[in-house]
Amino acid sequence: MGKELVIQKSWCKKCGICVEFCPKNILDLDEEGVYVKSKEECILCGLCELRCPDYAIYLEK
């Protein structure tokens, strides 16, 4: 089984850092926090996880 991108919306402070660092531009923000616009386009690179100061977005095996 592969990796999956997980978002803990209750931890997200909507700073937008993950959105800015996503190389495929598949993340966006709404009133609830970050969300994935297109799971099919996500390359699971982990840059969002590395940049999130609140550990609200991460890759899980």
Side-chain angles (χ1 to χ4, degrees), residues 4-5 37 54:
E4 178 184 357
L5 188 63
K37 295 188 287 188
D54 300 307

Side-chain angles (χ1 to χ4, degrees), residues 8-33:
Q8 296 291 335
K9 289 207 180 225
S10 62
W11 299 352
C12 180
K13 293 180 183 164
K14 303 175 211 148
C15 67
I17 294 172
C18 59
V19 174
E20 293 299 317
F21 277 92
C22 179
K24 299 297 278 182
N25 195 31
I26 59 114
L27 298 174
D28 207 351
L29 289 173
D30 63 14
E31 59 279 347
E32 295 179 16

Side-chain angles (χ1 to χ4, degrees), residues 31-54:
E31 59 279 347
E32 295 179 16
V34 68
Y35 69 93
V36 179
K37 295 188 287 188
S38 176
K39 281 191 174 189
E40 297 80 29
E41 293 183 44
C42 181
I43 59 174
L44 302 170
C45 66
L47 287 177
C48 55
E49 177 180 21
L50 290 172
R51 301 295 180 179
C52 180
D54 300 307

